[in-house]
Amino acid sequence: MKTERPPTLDPTAVARWQRMAPSASPWLHEEVASRMLDRLQWIKLQPLAWAHWGAVRGGLKNHQKLVKKYPKSLCFVAESQSIHAQAAIENIAFPWWHPAGWFGKATRFEAPPPGSVDMLWANMALHEAANPQALLAGWHEALTVGGFLMFSCLGPDTAIELREVYRQLGWPAAGHDLTDMHDWGDMLVAAGFAEPVMDMERITLTYETPDRLLRELRELGRNFHPARFAGLRGRAWRARLENALASHLTTGPDGRLSLTFEVIYGHALKAQPKVKVSALSSLSIQDMRSMLGVGKPTGV
């Protein structure tokens, strides 16, 4: 089980990206959110309150579907960056004059208090966490006993073709190492969650040109590896990269480029805390003598 922070993820680079990431949900994030939402059909619990962690990047379209699924539930929208919090308010909150805002419970744009939500929904956020154990612990704290976590993230086979291109060119890694679903399961248990259920699928996306592929990758994130290129690269480097992508990623007669994304889905419960019983007990000397029958008069 992994207990240390991700060794190939630069926290400074992550913090910079989270500040500058576009206030929009990438197409892939929306698609994964839609697939994760389908999994809710197997869960019968109707939350009185739920939290959407990182709604702006995690899927604004599917946020509305979740609101319709739980119309009577209080919703918390938690954003770590002020620019995303403002975008969430602009895209989610109903104006005072809108009839849709007159019914149901209002959305609260803040992190949920401890023990306040029955479901925490976090789509495509965990693989960018510089301290995933702390994030999981925070999610666990926000849930009520019996509440559940639903999350998704990218797995280690994501962009495996791009990683191989970088390796063949002798360049630094194309991105940080992503965590395996079994390790996520271990970390869930270590954070106090019970009955974790992990699932994985691979999604293959195709692109017309190397430029379109690179533009989509820039919408999804950045290279957080500490050993990444230290400075900006020039046009010659970009041309070499695009040629390599066209050569190694082209599949089929249509000449489109293929790229793999491994998506991990996780579900876990917050169980009733276990009562810890000390293995040590103390007895007085008098109690010990009484138990052993020491000091009793003979013939009694």
PDB file of all heavy atoms in Angstrom, residues 112-135:
ATOM      1  N   PRO A 112     -18.292  21.190   2.376  1.00  0.00           N
ATOM      2  CA  PRO A 112     -19.267  20.694   3.354  1.00  0.00           C
ATOM      3  C   PRO A 112     -18.645  20.591   4.743  1.00  0.00           C
ATOM      4  O   PRO A 112     -17.485  20.184   4.877  1.00  0.00           O
ATOM      5  CB  PRO A 112     -19.630  19.313   2.814  1.00  0.00           C
ATOM      6  CG  PRO A 112     -18.446  18.898   2.004  1.00  0.00           C
ATOM      7  CD  PRO A 112     -17.912  20.158   1.393  1.00  0.00           C
ATOM      8  N   PRO A 113     -19.390  20.942   5.798  1.00  0.00           N
ATOM      9  CA  PRO A 113     -18.885  20.773   7.163  1.00  0.00           C
ATOM     10  C   PRO A 113     -18.684  19.294   7.477  1.00  0.00           C
ATOM     11  O   PRO A 113     -19.232  18.420   6.796  1.00  0.00           O
ATOM     12  CB  PRO A 113     -19.992  21.386   8.030  1.00  0.00           C
ATOM     13  CG  PRO A 113     -20.796  22.233   7.099  1.00  0.00           C
ATOM     14  CD  PRO A 113     -20.712  21.582   5.766  1.00  0.00           C
ATOM     15  N   PRO A 114     -17.931  18.986   8.517  1.00  0.00           N
ATOM     16  CA  PRO A 114     -17.723  17.581   8.893  1.00  0.00           C
ATOM     17  C   PRO A 114     -19.044  16.871   9.184  1.00  0.00           C
ATOM     18  O   PRO A 114     -19.938  17.412   9.824  1.00  0.00           O
ATOM     19  CB  PRO A 114     -16.858  17.686  10.154  1.00  0.00           C
ATOM     20  CG  PRO A 114     -16.134  18.989  10.014  1.00  0.00           C
ATOM     21  CD  PRO A 114     -17.106  19.907   9.334  1.00  0.00           C
ATOM     22  N   GLY A 115     -19.159  15.651   8.677  1.00  0.00           N
ATOM     23  CA  GLY A 115     -20.328  14.831   8.934  1.00  0.00           C
ATOM     24  C   GLY A 115     -21.634  15.384   8.420  1.00  0.00           C
ATOM     25  O   GLY A 115     -22.682  15.147   9.017  1.00  0.00           O
ATOM     26  N   SER A 116     -21.608  16.101   7.286  1.00  0.00           N
ATOM     27  CA  SER A 116     -22.817  16.812   6.833  1.00  0.00           C
ATOM     28  C   SER A 116     -23.442  16.261   5.563  1.00  0.00           C
ATOM     29  O   SER A 116     -24.574  16.625   5.236  1.00  0.00           O
ATOM     30  CB  SER A 116     -22.482  18.291   6.609  1.00  0.00           C
ATOM     31  OG  SER A 116     -21.516  18.428   5.572  1.00  0.00           O
ATOM     32  N   VAL A 117     -22.760  15.404   4.810  1.00  0.00           N
ATOM     33  CA  VAL A 117     -23.302  14.948   3.535  1.00  0.00           C
ATOM     34  C   VAL A 117     -23.365  13.425   3.486  1.00  0.00           C
ATOM     35  O   VAL A 117     -22.543  12.724   4.065  1.00  0.00           O
ATOM     36  CB  VAL A 117     -22.477  15.481   2.339  1.00  0.00           C
ATOM     37  CG1 VAL A 117     -22.590  16.993   2.247  1.00  0.00           C
ATOM     38  CG2 VAL A 117     -21.017  15.069   2.430  1.00  0.00           C
ATOM     39  N   ASP A 118     -24.367  12.934   2.747  1.00  0.00           N
ATOM     40  CA  ASP A 118     -24.555  11.494   2.590  1.00  0.00           C
ATOM     41  C   ASP A 118     -23.872  10.955   1.337  1.00  0.00           C
ATOM     42  O   ASP A 118     -23.707   9.745   1.188  1.00  0.00           O
ATOM     43  CB  ASP A 118     -26.048  11.163   2.524  1.00  0.00           C
ATOM     44  CG  ASP A 118     -26.801  11.685   3.732  1.00  0.00           C
ATOM     45  OD1 ASP A 118     -26.416  11.330   4.859  1.00  0.00           O
ATOM     46  OD2 ASP A 118     -27.755  12.465   3.550  1.00  0.00           O
ATOM     47  N   MET A 119     -23.527  11.847   0.419  1.00  0.00           N
ATOM     48  CA  MET A 119     -22.782  11.453  -0.773  1.00  0.00           C
ATOM     49  C   MET A 119     -21.768  12.534  -1.110  1.00  0.00           C
ATOM     50  O   MET A 119     -22.078  13.725  -1.050  1.00  0.00           O
ATOM     51  CB  MET A 119     -23.713  11.250  -1.978  1.00  0.00           C
ATOM     52  CG  MET A 119     -22.963  10.837  -3.246  1.00  0.00           C
ATOM     53  SD  MET A 119     -24.004  10.698  -4.733  1.00  0.00           S
ATOM     54  CE  MET A 119     -24.206  12.427  -5.197  1.00  0.00           C
ATOM     55  N   LEU A 120     -20.559  12.117  -1.445  1.00  0.00           N
ATOM     56  CA  LEU A 120     -19.549  13.049  -1.952  1.00  0.00           C
ATOM     57  C   LEU A 120     -19.148  12.573  -3.335  1.00  0.00           C
ATOM     58  O   LEU A 120     -18.709  11.436  -3.509  1.00  0.00           O
ATOM     59  CB  LEU A 120     -18.333  13.116  -1.023  1.00  0.00           C
ATOM     60  CG  LEU A 120     -17.410  14.322  -1.287  1.00  0.00           C
ATOM     61  CD1 LEU A 120     -16.794  14.843   0.004  1.00  0.00           C
ATOM     62  CD2 LEU A 120     -16.309  13.983  -2.295  1.00  0.00           C
ATOM     63  N   TRP A 121     -19.310  13.458  -4.300  1.00  0.00           N
ATOM     64  CA  TRP A 121     -19.084  13.163  -5.715  1.00  0.00           C
ATOM     65  C   TRP A 121     -17.830  13.908  -6.160  1.00  0.00           C
ATOM     66  O   TRP A 121     -17.764  15.141  -6.072  1.00  0.00           O
ATOM     67  CB  TRP A 121     -20.300  13.612  -6.516  1.00  0.00           C
ATOM     68  CG  TRP A 121     -20.239  13.437  -7.993  1.00  0.00           C
ATOM     69  CD1 TRP A 121     -19.660  14.261  -8.907  1.00  0.00           C
ATOM     70  CD2 TRP A 121     -20.826  12.369  -8.745  1.00  0.00           C
ATOM     71  NE1 TRP A 121     -19.840  13.782 -10.178  1.00  0.00           N
ATOM     72  CE2 TRP A 121     -20.556  12.618 -10.101  1.00  0.00           C
ATOM     73  CE3 TRP A 121     -21.560  11.218  -8.394  1.00  0.00           C
ATOM     74  CZ2 TRP A 121     -20.993  11.765 -11.113  1.00  0.00           C
ATOM     75  CZ3 TRP A 121     -21.984  10.367  -9.406  1.00  0.00           C
ATOM     76  CH2 TRP A 121     -21.705  10.649 -10.751  1.00  0.00           C
ATOM     77  N   ALA A 122     -16.822  13.178  -6.644  1.00  0.00           N
ATOM     78  CA  ALA A 122     -15.559  13.799  -7.054  1.00  0.00           C
ATOM     79  C   ALA A 122     -15.105  13.157  -8.364  1.00  0.00           C
ATOM     80  O   ALA A 122     -14.615  12.019  -8.375  1.00  0.00           O
ATOM     81  CB  ALA A 122     -14.500  13.621  -5.978  1.00  0.00           C
ATOM     82  N   ASN A 123     -15.261  13.873  -9.457  1.00  0.00           N
ATOM     83  CA  ASN A 123     -14.952  13.337 -10.779  1.00  0.00           C
ATOM     84  C   ASN A 123     -13.645  13.895 -11.319  1.00  0.00           C
ATOM     85  O   ASN A 123     -13.473  15.121 -11.421  1.00  0.00           O
ATOM     86  CB  ASN A 123     -16.090  13.674 -11.755  1.00  0.00           C
ATOM     87  CG  ASN A 123     -15.857  13.118 -13.143  1.00  0.00           C
ATOM     88  OD1 ASN A 123     -15.530  11.944 -13.305  1.00  0.00           O
ATOM     89  ND2 ASN A 123     -16.020  13.950 -14.159  1.00  0.00           N
ATOM     90  N   MET A 124     -12.717  13.006 -11.632  1.00  0.00           N
ATOM     91  CA  MET A 124     -11.466  13.339 -12.325  1.00  0.00           C
ATOM     92  C   MET A 124     -10.629  14.377 -11.576  1.00  0.00           C
ATOM     93  O   MET A 124     -10.063  15.299 -12.183  1.00  0.00           O
ATOM     94  CB  MET A 124     -11.772  13.821 -13.741  1.00  0.00           C
ATOM     95  CG  MET A 124     -12.479  12.783 -14.603  1.00  0.00           C
ATOM     96  SD  MET A 124     -11.445  11.358 -15.012  1.00  0.00           S
ATOM     97  CE  MET A 124     -10.622  11.978 -16.473  1.00  0.00           C
ATOM     98  N   ALA A 125     -10.536  14.223 -10.259  1.00  0.00           N
ATOM     99  CA  ALA A 125      -9.754  15.165  -9.454  1.00  0.00           C
ATOM    100  C   ALA A 125      -8.617  14.490  -8.706  1.00  0.00           C
ATOM    101  O   ALA A 125      -7.578  15.110  -8.475  1.00  0.00           O
ATOM    102  CB  ALA A 125     -10.664  15.885  -8.458  1.00  0.00           C
ATOM    103  N   LEU A 126      -8.788  13.239  -8.335  1.00  0.00           N
ATOM    104  CA  LEU A 126      -7.857  12.602  -7.403  1.00  0.00           C
ATOM    105  C   LEU A 126      -6.464  12.409  -7.985  1.00  0.00           C
ATOM    106  O   LEU A 126      -5.464  12.471  -7.255  1.00  0.00           O
ATOM    107  CB  LEU A 126      -8.434  11.256  -6.947  1.00  0.00           C
ATOM    108  CG  LEU A 126      -7.802  10.588  -5.724  1.00  0.00           C
ATOM    109  CD1 LEU A 126      -7.747  11.533  -4.535  1.00  0.00           C
ATOM    110  CD2 LEU A 126      -8.570   9.317  -5.368  1.00  0.00           C
ATOM    111  N   HIS A 127      -6.347  12.191  -9.290  1.00  0.00           N
ATOM    112  CA  HIS A 127      -5.026  11.940  -9.873  1.00  0.00           C
ATOM    113  C   HIS A 127      -4.166  13.206  -9.922  1.00  0.00           C
ATOM    114  O   HIS A 127      -2.969  13.119 -10.208  1.00  0.00           O
ATOM    115  CB  HIS A 127      -5.153  11.355 -11.290  1.00  0.00           C
ATOM    116  CG  HIS A 127      -5.926  12.213 -12.243  1.00  0.00           C
ATOM    117  ND1 HIS A 127      -7.281  12.092 -12.431  1.00  0.00           N
ATOM    118  CD2 HIS A 127      -5.521  13.211 -13.069  1.00  0.00           C
ATOM    119  CE1 HIS A 127      -7.680  12.967 -13.336  1.00  0.00           C
ATOM    120  NE2 HIS A 127      -6.629  13.670 -13.735  1.00  0.00           N
ATOM    121  N   GLU A 128      -4.757  14.377  -9.643  1.00  0.00           N
ATOM    122  CA  GLU A 128      -3.990  15.617  -9.599  1.00  0.00           C
ATOM    123  C   GLU A 128      -3.718  16.071  -8.164  1.00  0.00           C
ATOM    124  O   GLU A 128      -3.195  17.168  -7.959  1.00  0.00           O
ATOM    125  CB  GLU A 128      -4.716  16.730 -10.347  1.00  0.00           C
ATOM    126  CG  GLU A 128      -4.759  16.528 -11.853  1.00  0.00           C
ATOM    127  CD  GLU A 128      -5.380  17.711 -12.577  1.00  0.00           C
ATOM    128  OE1 GLU A 128      -5.899  18.623 -11.890  1.00  0.00           O
ATOM    129  OE2 GLU A 128      -5.337  17.726 -13.817  1.00  0.00           O
ATOM    130  N   ALA A 129      -4.056  15.255  -7.174  1.00  0.00           N
ATOM    131  CA  ALA A 129      -3.866  15.639  -5.775  1.00  0.00           C
ATOM    132  C   ALA A 129      -2.419  15.424  -5.362  1.00  0.00           C
ATOM    133  O   ALA A 129      -1.887  14.319  -5.487  1.00  0.00           O
ATOM    134  CB  ALA A 129      -4.790  14.828  -4.872  1.00  0.00           C
ATOM    135  N   ALA A 130      -1.779  16.498  -4.876  1.00  0.00           N
ATOM    136  CA  ALA A 130      -0.396  16.382  -4.417  1.00  0.00           C
ATOM    137  C   ALA A 130      -0.302  15.595  -3.119  1.00  0.00           C
ATOM    138  O   ALA A 130       0.733  15.013  -2.809  1.00  0.00           O
ATOM    139  CB  ALA A 130       0.211  17.771  -4.231  1.00  0.00           C
ATOM    140  N   ASN A 131      -1.392  15.581  -2.340  1.00  0.00           N
ATOM    141  CA  ASN A 131      -1.443  14.808  -1.109  1.00  0.00           C
ATOM    142  C   ASN A 131      -2.764  14.041  -1.085  1.00  0.00           C
ATOM    143  O   ASN A 131      -3.717  14.432  -0.425  1.00  0.00           O
ATOM    144  CB  ASN A 131      -1.339  15.727   0.108  1.00  0.00           C
ATOM    145  CG  ASN A 131      -1.143  14.967   1.408  1.00  0.00           C
ATOM    146  OD1 ASN A 131      -1.405  13.764   1.488  1.00  0.00           O
ATOM    147  ND2 ASN A 131      -0.679  15.644   2.441  1.00  0.00           N
ATOM    148  N   PRO A 132      -2.841  12.932  -1.830  1.00  0.00           N
ATOM    149  CA  PRO A 132      -4.110  12.224  -1.965  1.00  0.00           C
ATOM    150  C   PRO A 132      -4.632  11.660  -0.648  1.00  0.00           C
ATOM    151  O   PRO A 132      -5.847  11.588  -0.440  1.00  0.00           O
ATOM    152  CB  PRO A 132      -3.795  11.107  -2.963  1.00  0.00           C
ATOM    153  CG  PRO A 132      -2.321  10.934  -2.896  1.00  0.00           C
ATOM    154  CD  PRO A 132      -1.764  12.292  -2.609  1.00  0.00           C
ATOM    155  N   GLN A 133      -3.732  11.254   0.260  1.00  0.00           N
ATOM    156  CA  GLN A 133      -4.199  10.723   1.537  1.00  0.00           C
ATOM    157  C   GLN A 133      -4.952  11.779   2.331  1.00  0.00           C
ATOM    158  O   GLN A 133      -5.995  11.490   2.938  1.00  0.00           O
ATOM    159  CB  GLN A 133      -3.021  10.188   2.355  1.00  0.00           C
ATOM    160  CG  GLN A 133      -2.363   8.945   1.775  1.00  0.00           C
ATOM    161  CD  GLN A 133      -1.243   9.268   0.796  1.00  0.00           C
ATOM    162  OE1 GLN A 133      -1.083  10.430   0.391  1.00  0.00           O
ATOM    163  NE2 GLN A 133      -0.461   8.281   0.419  1.00  0.00           N
ATOM    164  N   ALA A 134      -4.443  13.014   2.315  1.00  0.00           N
ATOM    165  CA  ALA A 134      -5.124  14.100   3.023  1.00  0.00           C
ATOM    166  C   ALA A 134      -6.468  14.411   2.378  1.00  0.00           C
ATOM    167  O   ALA A 134      -7.456  14.704   3.068  1.00  0.00           O
ATOM    168  CB  ALA A 134      -4.246  15.349   3.047  1.00  0.00           C
ATOM    169  N   LEU A 135      -6.531  14.340   1.056  1.00  0.00           N
ATOM    170  CA  LEU A 135      -7.790  14.606   0.353  1.00  0.00           C
ATOM    171  C   LEU A 135      -8.823  13.536   0.692  1.00  0.00           C
ATOM    172  O   LEU A 135      -9.997  13.850   0.977  1.00  0.00           O
ATOM    173  CB  LEU A 135      -7.552  14.665  -1.151  1.00  0.00           C
ATOM    174  CG  LEU A 135      -8.759  15.032  -2.021  1.00  0.00           C
ATOM    175  CD1 LEU A 135      -9.368  16.353  -1.592  1.00  0.00           C
ATOM    176  CD2 LEU A 135      -8.367  15.066  -3.495  1.00  0.00           C
TER     177      LEU A 135
END
